[in-house]
Structure formats: structure tokens, C-alpha cells
Amino acid sequence: MLKKDQFYKDILDGLSLFYESRFIRDIRNTALKYPTSSLGNALNRRQTASKLWLLDSLNETHGDDLGSVHILGGWCGVLASLLFHDSRFNVNHITSFDIDPSCAPIADSLNADAVDRRVFSTETADILQLRYTADSVQINDQKIGACPDLLINTSCEHLEDFDAWFSALPQDTLLVLQSNDYFSEPEHVNCQPNLAAFQEQAPMRDLIFAGELEFDKYTRFMLIGRR
Ligand SMILES: C[S@@+](CC[C@H](N)C(=O)[O-])C[C@H]1O[C@@H](n2cnc3c(N)ncnc32)[C@H](O)[C@@H]1O
């Protein structure tokens, strides 16, 4: 009988050798250590296509230098990993925030290379509790770091109190936001019916990108700009 774990491990081993890729090696190690449906979903075709669309659009509209980045609702850390392994970008540091404590160890494992280089860290926190000042970010009056250069949230459809979250964001930080019209998912409490509705919900004084990407089950929307 086929031993599936060994089967997939062998294939990923071979691929990481062929591509000399730390990216694939970290995916392989994470899949072996955390064989969860969540990790499979985070790496599926639609999720990956949505992240690659983000990388291409960000590079075309903003350029290569990202500085320090906060990824909010960062889940398993796939977007951080894709940013680190995209040679177009210069990234100083990425912090991935998620309210679910099971996400941090998976994201750390998927970004093991960046953790070793001390350019990736995780925070288990409700992003609605983050307070941005001119030079710092705080949770419950505790300073956790400097205000980031770039703030990414591809989980806007999951935020019940989106308006409170959005209005507390810093005004000079570049924002990349994604949402979708996938209303049938129970966890999607803040879907938008179309791109215009998303733009109305997240008004930007300096909008540099607005677009949509259609899939079989839903359409994803993305905005890049400053609030
Ligand atoms: C299913 S995932 C991500 C889906 C999204 N399409 C993506 O790929 O980025 C949504 C994540 O948002 C997180 N999340 C939801 N509400 C949050 C909050 N208030 N603070 C921090 N993380 C939150 C969830 O724990 C989950 O890991």
C-alpha cells in the first residue's frame, strides 16, 4: 500500500533539491510537522494565486523596497514566505499577527529561514487591539515595535468591526487590503458584493491600485493606497 506521507515527502524532497529551494524545504518540513487542513487551504491554488496577484500588483505600483511589514490576519504565514522568497523585493522585517494561537508555530515553521535570519516574527493578538502612534505600535499600552512602512490585510472578509479597525490605521503607512464576495463561508462576516463596495468601505485618500481577480467560486478584491 502507498504510504502517502512518505510519497509526498519524497516528491517535496526532490523538488527542493532540484530547485535548490529553502522555500520548498520549509514547506515540506511544515507539512510533516503540522499536517492540518488549515495549512493545506492556505497553500491551495486560489489562495496562492491571490497572494501572487498581490506581489505582482504591489511591485508594479510601489516598487521593490518594502521596509518593515505587518501582515494582519497572517494565518499560516504563506504571504510572508512568498514575499521573502521573491527576489524582486527588499524586506527589512515582517511581523505576522493572528488571533488564533495555533497559527504562530505554523507560520514560524513555514518561515524558518527568515526566523533564522531574525527578519520574521509572529504575534498572537486581536488586530482590533492594535494602536498605531506616529512612532510605535501598541497592544494594551505595551509597545511592541515601530510603526510599519507597509501594512497588509488579506483577511478583511473576516473582520466584523472593519470600520473601527480601518479608522484606527496610521495615515502615512501604505496599505494593501484584500476582501471577497465569498458570502457562503460562515467565517466570512464582512464580505463585499463588488469592488466598488469594498472601496466605499475602505476609502483611500491616495489610491494607487484597485482591482479584482475572478475564481470559480468567488471574486477577490484588492486595494493599495493610503488612508
Ligand atoms: C482563513 S484566514 C485567511 C484568509 C485570507 N483570504 C488570506 O488568505 O489571507 C483568516 C485569518 O484571520 C484571522 N483573524 C480573524 N479575525 C482576526 C482578528 N480580529 N485579529 C487577528 N486575526 C484575525 C483568523 O484567525 C485567520 O487565521
Side-chain angles (χ1 to χ4, degrees):
M1 201 177 73
L2 181 68
K3 286 191 178 146
K4 277 196 181 162
D5 284 358
Q6 188 63 42
F7 175 75
Y8 292 119
K9 177 179 173 300
D10 284 347
I11 290 174
L12 286 169
D13 273 350
L15 283 175
S16 81
L17 200 65
F18 180 76
Y19 289 110
E20 295 177 359
S21 168
R22 178 72 197 253
F23 175 60
I24 294 176
R25 184 144 56 95
D26 285 342
I27 292 176
R28 159 203 175 268
N29 290 342
T30 307
L32 287 173
K33 198 167 174 193
Y34 303 99
T36 62
S37 60
S38 178
L39 179 64
N41 286 338
L43 284 163
N44 78 23
R45 211 181 125 271
R46 285 187 214 101
Q47 292 290 352
T48 304
S50 301
K51 307 292 181 299
L52 295 178
W53 178 46
L54 187 157
L55 265 54
D56 289 343
S57 308
L58 180 62
N59 193 256
E60 277 161 28
T61 55
H62 172 72
D64 304 343
D65 295 327
L66 303 187
S68 68
V69 183
H70 281 188
I71 299 180
L72 307 178
W75 202 11
C76 298
V78 172
L79 178 58
S81 176
L82 290 171
L83 281 168
F84 281 126
H85 290 283
D86 188 324
S87 60
R88 291 174 295 182
F89 291 114
N90 305 311
V91 182
N92 290 353
H93 188 275
I94 297 179
T95 312
S96 185
F97 295 80
D98 205 287
I99 198 169
D100 177 350
S102 72
C103 292
I106 302 177
D108 281 334
S109 172
L110 203 64
N111 289 278
D113 176 44
V115 170
D116 290 348
R117 293 187 288 116
R118 297 174 187 273
V119 291
F120 179 77
S121 55
T122 48
E123 291 278 350
T124 297
D126 180 349
I127 60 170
L128 283 160
Q129 301 301 319
L130 293 175
R131 293 287 166 268
Y132 297 91
T133 68
D135 59 355
S136 75
V137 184
Q138 304 177 354
I139 303 177
N140 302 328
D141 295 331
Q142 296 263 32
K143 181 175 171 175
I144 57 159
C147 204
D149 301 301
L150 172 64
L151 215 150
I152 304 176
N153 186 345
T154 61
S155 301
C156 293
E157 69 275 12
H158 289 260
L159 283 190
E160 202 151 14
D161 203 351
F162 182 92
D163 294 349
W165 172 75
F166 185 74
S167 61
L169 294 178
Q171 294 206 307
D172 292 328
T173 298
L174 186 67
L175 307 175
V176 181
L177 309 180
Q178 285 190 355
S179 189
N180 62 42
D181 62 357
Y182 200 175
F183 286 93
S184 58
E185 278 292 307
E187 289 179 1
H188 290 177
V189 292
N190 182 42
C191 280
Q192 295 301 313
N194 51 48
L195 181 61
F198 188 35
Q199 276 185 255
E200 203 173 307
Q201 188 183 44
M204 305 274 191
R205 73 183 152 82
D206 176 21
L207 181 69
I208 61 175
F209 178 90
E212 54 186 42
L213 186 63
E214 211 176 312
F215 294 103
D216 48 354
K217 290 188 179 168
Y218 62 87
T219 300
R220 188 167 288 274
F221 313 118
M222 180 161 63
L223 305 174
I224 304 178
R226 288 181 178 78
R227 176 175 90 77

